Amino acid sequence: LRQLSARRNRQDRRLLLEPLEDRNLLAVANVVGSELQVTLENNDTVFIRQKGSDIFVGTSSNSGDVFNGTQAVDALSVTGAGGTETVNFEQPAGATFFTVLTQGISTDAAVENVNVDVAINTAGGGASGDVSLSAHTVFMRSNVFTDGGDVTISASNNLRFLGNNLTIDTEDGGDSDAGDILLAGSAKIQGIINFGQTYNLRTDTVGGTGGAITLPSGGAFDIATQFYDSRGSGGDGLIELNGGVIGDAGGQVNFAGDVVLNASVVIRTNANPVEEGGAVDLQNATISAANANADLTIRTDVNIFNSGSITLGEFNNDAGHYVRNLTMETDGLSTDGSITLTDTVQISGDLTSESGAGN
């Protein structure tokens, strides 16, 4: 009996000391006030969806094993563990918008992947309805709307815009001050090459001040048609460029508002010069620089077919400096693009224009 008891004691000690390798660690959800706080364990994947006026969080699609909508919530925060966690905002059958979380949505930078597969709309919360999505990689497949709330998307590795016609609008009603759009992190914005996408970043409003739009240092690439609008009846917001803006498949690049170059910038409507060249329209923008060494290059030139036109608005020193050198290229094999000035263009360095005769 003494030998059997000793053997059992040794087995018990071994069980206490051995790691629980097969333990399935699930995300944890708590409601604090009216905010749903989801904490992920290492390598967790969660699916967040709206059904009626309820929010469900599960470890598989269309499930609610983490949070089953039993309590009303109007805000959501997700905290990662610094591993390979994934957060999916999913679109169940019959749902068009994610509208319940009017007081804001956030994921933190410790999350590995964020997938936005359903439109997020916090417009019911007004200026308090901020949307902040941070992760190693963010995949945007649907729209984001607020009614004065800020939208921040920060990716340290990859920020992909995968929706065909994607809009981020921070003043959906257009009747008060707009929120800001901040695309941050070290990642560039990237679309799908040769897909013909359109995306709209809108902080414009007719009822107040336009919001700021800030693009990351990695720039924006492979999105065919790009619209940036920060105009407001009470004053335009700043559109801050920190890297290149490169279109695709002959699409347009349009800026409207107060554009500021924080570095030298290239705007090009087609990274592949063997396709049609799209137009660059700056006629509703004012362009200045934040430092004395910022150059602007605008290219709509192509090796075959038609090149795109360039339309310029006012160039001034509103941000403290004039653009230094301005270079424009609109050469095309079939037809050269035109260059049109709609206002005063004042720079501090050289102006270079390469276009066909008469343009």
Side-chain angles (χ1 to χ4, degrees):
L1 287 174
R2 284 196 297 270
Q3 290 176 346
L4 179 61
S5 177
R7 186 162 57 249
R8 285 178 176 171
N9 287 336
R10 287 196 298 271
Q11 289 174 343
D12 290 342
R13 285 197 297 270
R14 255 197 325 270
L15 288 173
L16 289 171
L17 294 172
E18 288 176 352
L20 300 177
E21 295 177 354
D22 296 329
R23 184 182 175 194
N24 184 20
L25 297 174
L26 296 179
V28 176
N30 293 293
V31 177
V32 179
S34 61
E35 178 182 350
L36 175 59
Q37 299 176 351
V38 179
T39 302
L40 305 181
E41 296 289 350
N42 192 29
N43 305 327
D44 277 345
T45 294
V46 292
F47 295 81
I48 303 171
R49 62 189 173 96
Q50 176 179 328
K51 182 178 180 181
S53 59
D54 297 322
I55 296 297
F56 292 80
V57 181
T59 56
S60 61
S61 181
N62 291 313
S63 71
D65 56 345
V66 177
F67 183 78
N68 61 5
T70 54
Q71 292 176 262
V73 295
D74 58 16
L76 168 72
S77 64
V78 182
T79 303
T84 57
E85 300 82 44
T86 297
V87 177
N88 301 288
F89 293 92
E90 67 173 335
Q91 180 172 351
T96 305
F97 285 100
F98 217 91
T99 57
V100 172
L101 302 171
T102 58
Q103 297 303 304
I105 297 173
S106 67
T107 63
D108 79 345
V111 173
E112 175 78 8
N113 303 301
V114 171
N115 294 293
V116 179
D117 296 320
V118 60
I120 293 173
N121 189 335
T122 66
S128 62
D130 295 339
V131 176
S132 179
L133 304 175
S134 296
H136 190 62
T137 299
V138 179
F139 295 99
M140 299 294 300
R141 297 181 179 89
S142 198
N143 305 321
V144 178
F145 300 98
T146 74
D147 191 18
D150 298 333
V151 175
T152 301
I153 304 175
S154 180
S156 59
N157 178 60
N158 200 353
L159 174 52
R160 298 295 304 274
F161 281 74
L162 303 178
N164 185 36
N165 190 356
L166 196 149
T167 296
I168 299 176
D169 189 343
T170 60
E171 182 37 54
D172 190 37
D175 55 2
S176 60
D177 292 342
D180 298 333
I181 297 175
L182 172 60
L183 304 182
S186 56
K188 65 182 180 182
I189 308 167
Q190 189 168 6
I192 304 174
I193 193 167
N194 293 326
F195 190 58
Q197 294 169 283
T198 297
Y199 92 144
N200 305 273
L201 298 188
R202 299 189 55 183
T203 60
D204 58 306
T205 176
V206 295
T209 303
I213 299 174
T214 304
L215 301 188
S217 57
F221 292 83
D222 301 334
I223 301 170
T225 299
Q226 306 178 34
F227 292 96
Y228 306 88
D229 193 343
S230 66
R231 292 173 293 180
S233 59
D236 297 345
L238 297 181
I239 302 176
E240 297 191 56
L241 304 185
N242 297 290
V245 178
I246 312 299
D248 179 59
Q252 303 177 53
V253 176
N254 291 38
F255 286 92
D258 193 353
V259 176
V260 177
L261 274 61
N262 288 331
S264 292
V265 170
V266 175
I267 300 174
R268 187 169 186 177
T269 55
N270 205 330
N272 185 356
V274 298
E275 298 177 347
E276 291 276 348
V280 173
D281 189 349
L282 305 177
Q283 65 177 316
N284 294 311
T286 58
I287 301 94
S288 60
N291 63 75
N293 300 315
D295 301 330
L296 176 61
T297 300
I298 305 174
R299 297 186 59 180
T300 64
D301 56 307
V302 291
N303 294 337
I304 62 175
F305 303 122
N306 303 314
S307 66
S309 61
I310 297 174
T311 305
L312 301 182
E314 181 183 2
F315 280 60
N316 58 32
N317 64 347
D318 280 356
H321 299 272
Y322 295 104
V323 171
R324 185 175 60 176
N325 299 320
L326 173 62
T327 302
M328 296 174 286
E329 300 181 29
T330 63
D331 289 325
L333 181 63
S334 300
T335 304
D336 297 323
S338 61
I339 298 175
T340 303
L341 280 63
T342 65
D343 210 318
T344 300
V345 175
Q346 185 169 352
I347 60 177
S348 63
D350 298 331
L351 184 142
T352 303
S353 171
E354 297 183 13
S355 181
N359 289 321

